[in-house]
Amino acid sequence: MYKVQLRSEIAKLKAYTPGLSIDEIRQKYGLTQVIKMASNENPLGTSPYVQEVICRHAGDAFRYPRSGNPRLVQALASKYQVSAKNIVIGNGSDEVIDLLLRTLTTPNQDAIACFDPCFALYPIQAQIAGLTIKSCPLNPDFSFNFAGLLELIDAKTKIVFLTTPDNPSGFCPPRDDLLNFILKVSSYPHCLVVIDEAYMDFCPHEEDASLLFKQPLPDNVAIMRTFSKSYGLAGLRIGYAIVPEAVADIFWRARLPFSLNILAEEAALAALEDEPFHEETLQIVQVGREMIAADLNKLGCQVFPSVANFLMFTLPKNYAADDCFQYLLSQGIIIRRLTSYNLPEHLRVTIGNAHENEAFIKAMANFLA
Ligand SMILES: Cc1ncc(COP(=O)(O)O)c(C=O)c1O
């Protein structure tokens, strides 16, 4: 009889917990209308122009995509004014994270460092890659303890993951603090600092906060971005990173040849062209973020400062986060519980469109009444 034999670290693996889906909640509560504010998706949906381009290219689905996605690589190189040799593209940032881990480290020998809590996929994929995970607690206000993180790094640490703005808090460190940290890490010549900027374009002062606007980049840095959030393409899975040339070279050799599908590549190219949609998304998120933060504060919640497209908050005394989460579900509103981040008293809400934001605040007011 067949029996699975697992490496011990795989046997202990806990799967990534995604936000609940609209269909699940519709069925469970017998609702017709469900609002999802759980996975930091785009409040405007998919750009109509991108939809048109996808339809136009539907007939190409029988073809393999061109290996290496040279058109998208070139478009991103032009956007950020870097060499095409520094761009890598994956099936979502998730694939970029996974491939960096698997190509730059040796199992059962190397380590990664990150903050705790952090985006769950870094430690999960590191565990699968057979790595030691060293984590430094965030400060109580969710700002970054760079000195503590630095202390964890040694010759075996091959990747440090940082998220700016951070998930789930929305905190964004001053760029000079980040640069200072990167400089200190450079005394370990085999350690790459991966800065995950999945939410950076929602930051009102992106040009002062992002490393991408401070060229030339330090040579021990990779910066990841995604089309899943502000470009509204989470379902098509497109992520990318600006990395040192030697890292790009090994990445492309190791990546499955066609992991970015032909429609996703066309959609990403079209999304880069549709600047008005991107701008409108950023505008709607900024207005919604200010409105929700002010209203939650008025209701007695503690809202953590965020420059991303979500807000993390806690409830007034004597209210439990789980009760609030369940109440919102019963009203057809899905937000995010943060138990998988070890934050059972915290909740995270994605900024929606004006109608969704109002429905969320109304339900919160009812719950707290
Ligand atoms: C910090 C962070 N990085 C990466 C991702 C994943 O992005 P993608 O959809 O491109 O895989 C997410 C998704 O929620 C995220 O929060």
Side-chain angles (χ1 to χ4, degrees), residues 4 8 80 103 110 160 174 204 233 275 298 331 353 360 367 369:
V4 180
S8 62
Y80 295 114
T103 53
D110 289 338
V160 180
L233 293 175
E275 212 24 66
K298 271 189 232 152
Q331 302 303 300
N353 59 35
F360 164 70
F367 174 74

Side-chain angles (χ1 to χ4, degrees), residues 105-117:
T105 65
T106 305
N108 304 318
Q109 176 182 304
D110 289 338
I112 67 149
C114 52
F115 283 122
D116 180 24

Side-chain angles (χ1 to χ4, degrees), residues 112-130:
I112 67 149
C114 52
F115 283 122
D116 180 24
C118 66
F119 178 50
L121 219 67
Y122 315 144
I124 292 176
Q125 298 313 115
Q127 193 177 341
I128 295 172

Side-chain angles (χ1 to χ4, degrees), residues 61-191:
F62 73 106
R63 295 234 179 257
Y64 283 99
R66 197 167 150 195
S67 189
N69 314 108
R71 286 162 65 220
L72 186 54
V73 164
Q74 195 48 58
L76 291 168
S78 308
K79 177 174 168 66
Y80 295 114
Q81 313 216 317
V82 296
S83 160
K85 290 181 181 159
N86 296 107
I87 304 279
V88 297
I89 300 176
N91 188 265
S93 309
D94 292 352
E95 187 186 28
V96 178
I97 293 166
D98 185 52
L99 260 190
L100 291 177
L101 283 165
R102 287 193 291 127
T103 53
L104 302 180
T105 65
T106 305
N108 304 318
Q109 176 182 304
D110 289 338
I112 67 149
C114 52
F115 283 122
D116 180 24
C118 66
F119 178 50
L121 219 67
Y122 315 144
I124 292 176
Q125 298 313 115
Q127 193 177 341
I128 295 172
L131 304 171
T132 303
I133 299 146
K134 296 181 173 183
S135 56
C136 166
L138 291 170
N139 293 323
D141 64 355
F142 288 83
S143 63
F144 291 176
N145 176 2
F146 281 118
L149 190 59
L150 198 62
E151 273 176 27
L152 299 180
I153 299 172
D154 61 20
K156 289 184 175 172
T157 316
K158 297 295 162 63
I159 300 183
V160 180
F161 283 103
L162 293 170
T163 317
T164 61
D166 202 10
N167 180 7
S169 75
F171 167 80
C172 189
R175 185 167 56 197
D176 285 346
D177 293 0
L178 199 58
L179 282 168
N180 200 10
F181 172 78
I182 292 165
L183 184 67
K184 288 182 177 150
V185 177
S186 67
S187 60
Y188 297 95
H190 302 300
C191 184

